[in-house]
Amino acid sequence: MAAHAAMQAGQRDDGPVADVAAARDSVVIHVLIVGDPRELGTDSRGSGRWAVPAEVIDIAADGMLIRSATRILLTGGEGWGQVVTGQEVRTAGKLKPAKPGQVEAGVLVAATPPMRPDSQRKPDTQNKPDTQNKPEARHPTQGPADIPHGPAQLKRQFSSAAEWLQGDAAGLLPGMVTGDTAGLDESLETAMKTTGTTHLTAVSGANCSLILGGLVLLARSFRLARGVAAIVALGGLAAFVMMVGPDASVLRAAVMGAIGLTALSSGRQGRSLGFLCLAVTGLLTLDPSLGTSVGFLLSVLATLGIVLLARPIASWAPSWVPSWLASAVAVPLAAQLLCSPVIVALQPQFSSYSLLTNIAVAPFVAPVTILGTIAVPLVPLLPWLAIVPIAVAGASAGMVAAIARFFAGLPGASLPWPEGPAGIATMSLWSVGTVLLVWLVLHPTRVVSAVLWLHGRLVLLIAAGESSLRRRWTR
């Protein structure tokens, strides 16, 4: 993977797009949007600024037309917050070199809103003079780009359909189902950060695991064979991915969710670990930039924790504890133990009630995800029928918000933690200590036996030392 990434980096840094960026020329560019816009803040006039990942289709610069499938980063104001993955747009601006370490070949500061590409228009060469040497004439901007129907339209329709819900549910439900957090209240967002539940407001591996698990149970209820049920579940997961938008983060979540569910249901740790290694290698081959993504790292670590630790921790529970309750505690604990050192490196604070909050909200996450996902395609097709799943999912989302606010308001919900390598090292030790503490608490009989055994060995050691000292004194 390192060799593959190095080869791609060499092609990116030495390619024609990098040469244009180094010259800092003004260009007219035709791109394909490959990711969601990320808000950068506001400019001097108070307008929003956005960063949008894109892939170059062609660039008109200095009288030349350059075609290259190279990643760049677009930054702009008006209109750039509404573009969606898979949309082709044209704009003009100044192309600058990317910063060291960026996966993009350059950064374009857009001087215009996103425009419709005019590639379908055929010039009238009989009545018009030849303008092939003028890039602006060959590629004029035709007007604001249309927002395509599909995932983006479904997200907007679902968010609009959930507006009748009261309180936090109206903003949280679209975030938990489709990842649309535009309507999320700032105070609730802060509470979820404090309690370590922000992963619920993105399409994560947990969402995909719930979708897969629900489809498998539904298929098995019709007495379908296990292989057929697996195919049905995977087909449903693919439909879910297409519905919310098949960008890199969603595809990553789908793969990790499928592996996590396989690890929990099959009980074959070695096979699940092999699937995880294969998935990581495959995803990095398709997109080496995931190697610098913190979200990808957290997904891999969370899945690794579930594969390695979830079943052993659940098996430590006493026989009188229901298996579903043991798993409800073991899964978030296993994921949190491996993710905590990375989270502390990003945000040096300790979320005291993160585990308790994730356990408390777990019963409400499944209804939100499954019923909300059912409601998304019903909203444009049968809006009257979508009211019932939206109401139930909204009530569950309201409970998630209430639990997050409750735990965030408790004393000591967010405690300071050392920064840098010291913080990572201490949190790693804390994770190991937590596993040992959980084992000790859940095995009181074995702990007492071990303590008595150690006590007996210590008594024998003291007696032997005392006897040795007496012999020396008598001599």
mmCIF file with all atom_site columns, all heavy atoms in Angstrom, residues 230-245:
data_model
loop_
_atom_site.group_PDB
_atom_site.id
_atom_site.type_symbol
_atom_site.label_atom_id
_atom_site.label_alt_id
_atom_site.label_comp_id
_atom_site.label_asym_id
_atom_site.label_entity_id
_atom_site.label_seq_id
_atom_site.pdbx_PDB_ins_code
_atom_site.Cartn_x
_atom_site.Cartn_y
_atom_site.Cartn_z
_atom_site.occupancy
_atom_site.B_iso_or_equiv
_atom_site.pdbx_formal_charge
_atom_site.auth_seq_id
_atom_site.auth_comp_id
_atom_site.auth_asym_id
_atom_site.auth_atom_id
_atom_site.pdbx_PDB_model_num
ATOM 1   N N   . ALA A 1 230 ? -28.307 -13.830 3.074  1.00 0.00 ? 230 ALA A N   1
ATOM 2   C CA  . ALA A 1 230 ? -27.129 -12.956 3.016  1.00 0.00 ? 230 ALA A CA  1
ATOM 3   C C   . ALA A 1 230 ? -27.138 -12.113 1.747  1.00 0.00 ? 230 ALA A C   1
ATOM 4   O O   . ALA A 1 230 ? -26.825 -10.916 1.779  1.00 0.00 ? 230 ALA A O   1
ATOM 5   C CB  . ALA A 1 230 ? -25.853 -13.798 3.071  1.00 0.00 ? 230 ALA A CB  1
ATOM 6   N N   . ILE A 1 231 ? -27.538 -12.723 0.610  1.00 0.00 ? 231 ILE A N   1
ATOM 7   C CA  . ILE A 1 231 ? -27.600 -11.977 -0.650 1.00 0.00 ? 231 ILE A CA  1
ATOM 8   C C   . ILE A 1 231 ? -28.659 -10.884 -0.565 1.00 0.00 ? 231 ILE A C   1
ATOM 9   O O   . ILE A 1 231 ? -28.451 -9.744  -1.008 1.00 0.00 ? 231 ILE A O   1
ATOM 10  C CB  . ILE A 1 231 ? -27.886 -12.937 -1.819 1.00 0.00 ? 231 ILE A CB  1
ATOM 11  C CG1 . ILE A 1 231 ? -26.699 -13.880 -2.020 1.00 0.00 ? 231 ILE A CG1 1
ATOM 12  C CG2 . ILE A 1 231 ? -28.169 -12.162 -3.102 1.00 0.00 ? 231 ILE A CG2 1
ATOM 13  C CD1 . ILE A 1 231 ? -26.950 -14.978 -3.026 1.00 0.00 ? 231 ILE A CD1 1
ATOM 14  N N   . VAL A 1 232 ? -29.822 -11.210 0.006  1.00 0.00 ? 232 VAL A N   1
ATOM 15  C CA  . VAL A 1 232 ? -30.884 -10.216 0.172  1.00 0.00 ? 232 VAL A CA  1
ATOM 16  C C   . VAL A 1 232 ? -30.407 -9.065  1.049  1.00 0.00 ? 232 VAL A C   1
ATOM 17  O O   . VAL A 1 232 ? -30.643 -7.885  0.742  1.00 0.00 ? 232 VAL A O   1
ATOM 18  C CB  . VAL A 1 232 ? -32.143 -10.878 0.768  1.00 0.00 ? 232 VAL A CB  1
ATOM 19  C CG1 . VAL A 1 232 ? -33.174 -9.817  1.179  1.00 0.00 ? 232 VAL A CG1 1
ATOM 20  C CG2 . VAL A 1 232 ? -32.759 -11.849 -0.228 1.00 0.00 ? 232 VAL A CG2 1
ATOM 21  N N   . ALA A 1 233 ? -29.724 -9.404  2.151  1.00 0.00 ? 233 ALA A N   1
ATOM 22  C CA  . ALA A 1 233 ? -29.242 -8.368  3.069  1.00 0.00 ? 233 ALA A CA  1
ATOM 23  C C   . ALA A 1 233 ? -28.212 -7.464  2.392  1.00 0.00 ? 233 ALA A C   1
ATOM 24  O O   . ALA A 1 233 ? -28.249 -6.230  2.553  1.00 0.00 ? 233 ALA A O   1
ATOM 25  C CB  . ALA A 1 233 ? -28.647 -9.011  4.318  1.00 0.00 ? 233 ALA A CB  1
ATOM 26  N N   . LEU A 1 234 ? -27.299 -8.063  1.647  1.00 0.00 ? 234 LEU A N   1
ATOM 27  C CA  . LEU A 1 234 ? -26.282 -7.263  0.951  1.00 0.00 ? 234 LEU A CA  1
ATOM 28  C C   . LEU A 1 234 ? -26.917 -6.379  -0.126 1.00 0.00 ? 234 LEU A C   1
ATOM 29  O O   . LEU A 1 234 ? -26.501 -5.234  -0.328 1.00 0.00 ? 234 LEU A O   1
ATOM 30  C CB  . LEU A 1 234 ? -25.231 -8.177  0.331  1.00 0.00 ? 234 LEU A CB  1
ATOM 31  C CG  . LEU A 1 234 ? -24.303 -8.886  1.327  1.00 0.00 ? 234 LEU A CG  1
ATOM 32  C CD1 . LEU A 1 234 ? -23.391 -9.868  0.609  1.00 0.00 ? 234 LEU A CD1 1
ATOM 33  C CD2 . LEU A 1 234 ? -23.466 -7.870  2.108  1.00 0.00 ? 234 LEU A CD2 1
ATOM 34  N N   . GLY A 1 235 ? -27.934 -6.904  -0.815 1.00 0.00 ? 235 GLY A N   1
ATOM 35  C CA  . GLY A 1 235 ? -28.647 -6.094  -1.798 1.00 0.00 ? 235 GLY A CA  1
ATOM 36  C C   . GLY A 1 235 ? -29.352 -4.916  -1.144 1.00 0.00 ? 235 GLY A C   1
ATOM 37  O O   . GLY A 1 235 ? -29.335 -3.792  -1.666 1.00 0.00 ? 235 GLY A O   1
ATOM 38  N N   . GLY A 1 236 ? -29.965 -5.160  0.025  1.00 0.00 ? 236 GLY A N   1
ATOM 39  C CA  . GLY A 1 236 ? -30.609 -4.071  0.754  1.00 0.00 ? 236 GLY A CA  1
ATOM 40  C C   . GLY A 1 236 ? -29.607 -3.043  1.241  1.00 0.00 ? 236 GLY A C   1
ATOM 41  O O   . GLY A 1 236 ? -29.883 -1.832  1.218  1.00 0.00 ? 236 GLY A O   1
ATOM 42  N N   . LEU A 1 237 ? -28.430 -3.501  1.677  1.00 0.00 ? 237 LEU A N   1
ATOM 43  C CA  . LEU A 1 237 ? -27.390 -2.567  2.117  1.00 0.00 ? 237 LEU A CA  1
ATOM 44  C C   . LEU A 1 237 ? -26.908 -1.723  0.943  1.00 0.00 ? 237 LEU A C   1
ATOM 45  O O   . LEU A 1 237 ? -26.682 -0.511  1.097  1.00 0.00 ? 237 LEU A O   1
ATOM 46  C CB  . LEU A 1 237 ? -26.220 -3.344  2.726  1.00 0.00 ? 237 LEU A CB  1
ATOM 47  C CG  . LEU A 1 237 ? -25.050 -2.497  3.235  1.00 0.00 ? 237 LEU A CG  1
ATOM 48  C CD1 . LEU A 1 237 ? -25.495 -1.571  4.359  1.00 0.00 ? 237 LEU A CD1 1
ATOM 49  C CD2 . LEU A 1 237 ? -23.900 -3.382  3.708  1.00 0.00 ? 237 LEU A CD2 1
ATOM 50  N N   . ALA A 1 238 ? -26.762 -2.349  -0.231 1.00 0.00 ? 238 ALA A N   1
ATOM 51  C CA  . ALA A 1 238 ? -26.353 -1.583  -1.417 1.00 0.00 ? 238 ALA A CA  1
ATOM 52  C C   . ALA A 1 238 ? -27.391 -0.518  -1.749 1.00 0.00 ? 238 ALA A C   1
ATOM 53  O O   . ALA A 1 238 ? -27.044 0.621   -2.106 1.00 0.00 ? 238 ALA A O   1
ATOM 54  C CB  . ALA A 1 238 ? -26.155 -2.529  -2.600 1.00 0.00 ? 238 ALA A CB  1
ATOM 55  N N   . ALA A 1 239 ? -28.683 -0.865  -1.628 1.00 0.00 ? 239 ALA A N   1
ATOM 56  C CA  . ALA A 1 239 ? -29.739 0.120   -1.884 1.00 0.00 ? 239 ALA A CA  1
ATOM 57  C C   . ALA A 1 239 ? -29.674 1.256   -0.867 1.00 0.00 ? 239 ALA A C   1
ATOM 58  O O   . ALA A 1 239 ? -29.872 2.432   -1.214 1.00 0.00 ? 239 ALA A O   1
ATOM 59  C CB  . ALA A 1 239 ? -31.105 -0.568  -1.826 1.00 0.00 ? 239 ALA A CB  1
ATOM 60  N N   . PHE A 1 240 ? -29.377 0.927   0.391  1.00 0.00 ? 240 PHE A N   1
ATOM 61  C CA  . PHE A 1 240 ? -29.249 1.962   1.428  1.00 0.00 ? 240 PHE A CA  1
ATOM 62  C C   . PHE A 1 240 ? -28.088 2.899   1.119  1.00 0.00 ? 240 PHE A C   1
ATOM 63  O O   . PHE A 1 240 ? -28.207 4.124   1.249  1.00 0.00 ? 240 PHE A O   1
ATOM 64  C CB  . PHE A 1 240 ? -29.045 1.285   2.792  1.00 0.00 ? 240 PHE A CB  1
ATOM 65  C CG  . PHE A 1 240 ? -28.709 2.231   3.908  1.00 0.00 ? 240 PHE A CG  1
ATOM 66  C CD1 . PHE A 1 240 ? -29.677 3.044   4.462  1.00 0.00 ? 240 PHE A CD1 1
ATOM 67  C CD2 . PHE A 1 240 ? -27.409 2.309   4.408  1.00 0.00 ? 240 PHE A CD2 1
ATOM 68  C CE1 . PHE A 1 240 ? -29.368 3.921   5.493  1.00 0.00 ? 240 PHE A CE1 1
ATOM 69  C CE2 . PHE A 1 240 ? -27.092 3.173   5.427  1.00 0.00 ? 240 PHE A CE2 1
ATOM 70  C CZ  . PHE A 1 240 ? -28.078 3.987   5.977  1.00 0.00 ? 240 PHE A CZ  1
ATOM 71  N N   . VAL A 1 241 ? -26.958 2.332   0.683  1.00 0.00 ? 241 VAL A N   1
ATOM 72  C CA  . VAL A 1 241 ? -25.794 3.147   0.341  1.00 0.00 ? 241 VAL A CA  1
ATOM 73  C C   . VAL A 1 241 ? -26.121 4.095   -0.812 1.00 0.00 ? 241 VAL A C   1
ATOM 74  O O   . VAL A 1 241 ? -25.774 5.276   -0.789 1.00 0.00 ? 241 VAL A O   1
ATOM 75  C CB  . VAL A 1 241 ? -24.595 2.240   -0.018 1.00 0.00 ? 241 VAL A CB  1
ATOM 76  C CG1 . VAL A 1 241 ? -23.466 3.042   -0.642 1.00 0.00 ? 241 VAL A CG1 1
ATOM 77  C CG2 . VAL A 1 241 ? -24.088 1.527   1.233  1.00 0.00 ? 241 VAL A CG2 1
ATOM 78  N N   . MET A 1 242 ? -26.800 3.593   -1.836 1.00 0.00 ? 242 MET A N   1
ATOM 79  C CA  . MET A 1 242 ? -27.166 4.445   -2.962 1.00 0.00 ? 242 MET A CA  1
ATOM 80  C C   . MET A 1 242 ? -28.164 5.515   -2.538 1.00 0.00 ? 242 MET A C   1
ATOM 81  O O   . MET A 1 242 ? -28.143 6.640   -3.046 1.00 0.00 ? 242 MET A O   1
ATOM 82  C CB  . MET A 1 242 ? -27.769 3.596   -4.094 1.00 0.00 ? 242 MET A CB  1
ATOM 83  C CG  . MET A 1 242 ? -26.797 2.605   -4.707 1.00 0.00 ? 242 MET A CG  1
ATOM 84  S SD  . MET A 1 242 ? -25.300 3.400   -5.347 1.00 0.00 ? 242 MET A SD  1
ATOM 85  C CE  . MET A 1 242 ? -25.998 4.447   -6.622 1.00 0.00 ? 242 MET A CE  1
ATOM 86  N N   . MET A 1 243 ? -29.021 5.194   -1.577 1.00 0.00 ? 243 MET A N   1
ATOM 87  C CA  . MET A 1 243 ? -30.049 6.136   -1.141 1.00 0.00 ? 243 MET A CA  1
ATOM 88  C C   . MET A 1 243 ? -29.446 7.323   -0.393 1.00 0.00 ? 243 MET A C   1
ATOM 89  O O   . MET A 1 243 ? -29.841 8.471   -0.595 1.00 0.00 ? 243 MET A O   1
ATOM 90  C CB  . MET A 1 243 ? -31.060 5.414   -0.247 1.00 0.00 ? 243 MET A CB  1
ATOM 91  C CG  . MET A 1 243 ? -32.234 6.276   0.205  1.00 0.00 ? 243 MET A CG  1
ATOM 92  S SD  . MET A 1 243 ? -33.385 5.330   1.208  1.00 0.00 ? 243 MET A SD  1
ATOM 93  C CE  . MET A 1 243 ? -32.395 5.011   2.671  1.00 0.00 ? 243 MET A CE  1
ATOM 94  N N   . VAL A 1 244 ? -28.467 7.062   0.485  1.00 0.00 ? 244 VAL A N   1
ATOM 95  C CA  . VAL A 1 244 ? -27.873 8.150   1.266  1.00 0.00 ? 244 VAL A CA  1
ATOM 96  C C   . VAL A 1 244 ? -26.699 8.800   0.550  1.00 0.00 ? 244 VAL A C   1
ATOM 97  O O   . VAL A 1 244 ? -26.192 9.832   0.984  1.00 0.00 ? 244 VAL A O   1
ATOM 98  C CB  . VAL A 1 244 ? -27.426 7.660   2.665  1.00 0.00 ? 244 VAL A CB  1
ATOM 99  C CG1 . VAL A 1 244 ? -28.602 7.129   3.451  1.00 0.00 ? 244 VAL A CG1 1
ATOM 100 C CG2 . VAL A 1 244 ? -26.337 6.595   2.558  1.00 0.00 ? 244 VAL A CG2 1
ATOM 101 N N   . GLY A 1 245 ? -26.250 8.178   -0.570 1.00 0.00 ? 245 GLY A N   1
ATOM 102 C CA  . GLY A 1 245 ? -25.146 8.768   -1.333 1.00 0.00 ? 245 GLY A CA  1
ATOM 103 C C   . GLY A 1 245 ? -23.890 7.940   -1.208 1.00 0.00 ? 245 GLY A C   1
ATOM 104 O O   . GLY A 1 245 ? -23.332 7.828   -0.111 1.00 0.00 ? 245 GLY A O   1
#
